[in-house]
């Protein structure tokens, strides 16, 4: 039986499964103008760029491209702030990272946010397999917030490739952020390392 507080999260973030499924659509999205900055007090590697707005920042591979609202197809959830996609297109699946934001109606813990969303993934993806989950810290200005990182894999449908997902969840008061990295489950180590670096760089201002 699913605990009541997780049912609340699942209802609050009903679009969670749409966010997961939207990872399969970013291959079809058009490219956009880059919005980058280096003004945030966040260290980035020489092979990275920095995307930021007034409330968050994330480093990403320098040869990936930024997709914003004007570049999205109609099936990308309105909660998506930005998507970042590899410039090396793959006919099966192109690696991508998306940042999503959700305002809750009550204070929520990052771990509950994560577990509610993972429960949706179990019910949405075919051949779902949870690989790892752990508590992490997310930078918030000069402080830190409790976050949660989960890795799992699954398929959109029988004809789709098996895709790996690494999701970072963090809640600041009543506002939740979910950063979703999606990639072929057998992606090379260089791609996985770049994705891990991006997720670890995410911060709130």
């Amino acid at each position: 039986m699913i605990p009541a507080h997780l049912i609340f999260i699942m209802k609050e973030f009903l679009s969670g499964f749409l966010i997961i499924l939207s990872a399969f659509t970013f291959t079809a999205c058009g490219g956009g103008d880059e919005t980058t900055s280096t003004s945030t007090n966040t260290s980035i590697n020489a092979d990275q760029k920095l995307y930021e707005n007034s409330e968050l920042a994330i480093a990403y591979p320098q040869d990936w491209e930024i997709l914003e609202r004007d570049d999205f197809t109609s099936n990308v959830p309105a909660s998506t702030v930005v998507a970042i996609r590899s410039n090396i297109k793959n006919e099966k699946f192109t690696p991508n990272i998306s940042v999503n934001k959700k305002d809750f109606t009550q204070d929520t813990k990052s771990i509950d946010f994560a577990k509610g969303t993972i429960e949706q993934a179990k019910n949405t993806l075919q051949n779902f397999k949870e690989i790892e989950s752990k508590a992490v810290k997310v930078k918030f200005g000069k402080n830190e917030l409790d976050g949660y990182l989960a890795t799992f894999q699954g398929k959109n449908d029988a004809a789709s490739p098996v895709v790996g997902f690494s999701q970072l969840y963090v809640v600041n008061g009543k506002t939740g952020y979910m950063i979703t990295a999606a990639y072929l489950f057998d992606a090379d180590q260089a791609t996985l390392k770049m994705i891990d670096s991006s997720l670890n760089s995410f911060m709130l201002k």
Side-chain angles (χ1 to χ4, degrees):
M1 176 178 254
I2 302 173
H5 65 290
L6 293 189
I7 293 176
F8 161 75
I9 295 297
M10 292 170 69
K11 289 180 178 179
E12 280 278 275
F13 209 80
L14 189 57
S15 61
F17 77 100
L18 294 177
I19 292 169
I20 293 170
L21 294 182
S22 70
F24 293 90
T25 72
F26 286 126
T27 298
C29 291
D33 296 329
E34 291 193 358
T35 303
T36 61
S37 173
T38 56
S39 63
T40 298
N41 186 23
T42 301
S43 59
I44 62 174
N45 300 327
D47 58 352
Q48 291 179 317
K49 291 183 178 180
L50 185 71
Y51 171 86
E52 67 175 339
N53 60 27
S54 61
E55 58 185 312
L56 59 85
I58 184 171
Y60 65 95
Q62 63 179 357
D63 57 352
W64 286 33
E65 62 182 331
I66 294 291
L67 302 173
E68 296 185 289
R69 175 54 51 188
D70 290 344
D71 305 308
F72 296 160
T73 55
S74 59
N75 53 347
V76 175
S79 62
T80 304
V81 176
V82 65
I84 309 167
R85 178 181 63 185
S86 173
N87 275 330
I88 302 176
K89 305 303 186 294
N90 185 303
E91 61 180 12
K92 291 183 179 180
F93 187 85
T94 300
N96 62 81
I97 299 171
S98 64
V99 178
N100 291 266
K101 175 184 175 181
K102 169 67 178 180
D103 291 324
F104 293 108
T105 58
Q106 65 184 49
D107 288 345
T108 302
K109 294 181 179 179
S110 296
I111 188 171
D112 291 335
F113 180 22
K115 289 184 176 181
T117 306
I118 294 169
E119 190 65 31
Q120 288 185 332
K122 289 180 182 179
N123 298 327
T124 302
L125 297 174
Q126 295 185 15
N127 301 335
F128 175 90
K129 179 181 179 182
E130 189 168 359
I131 299 171
E132 182 184 20
S133 59
K134 61 182 179 180
V136 297
K137 294 294 185 180
V138 176
K139 187 176 179 181
F140 175 41
K142 295 181 179 180
N143 302 308
E144 291 183 323
L145 295 171
D146 291 330
Y148 201 79
L149 181 66
T151 303
F152 53 89
Q153 65 183 43
K155 302 174 64 172
N156 185 25
D157 53 46
S160 298
V162 177
V163 171
F165 296 88
S166 294
Q167 287 192 317
L168 173 65
Y169 315 84
V170 61
V171 177
N172 182 22
K174 296 180 181 180
T175 303
Y177 299 85
M178 180 166 67
I179 300 83
T180 302
Y183 44 88
L184 288 173
F185 84 102
D186 56 354
D188 58 78
Q189 288 300 310
T191 297
L192 296 178
K193 184 177 180 180
M194 289 190 296
I195 286 172
D196 285 344
S197 181
S198 291
L199 292 177
N200 290 334
S201 75
F202 181 80
M203 65 164 288
L204 296 173
K205 298 181 180 180

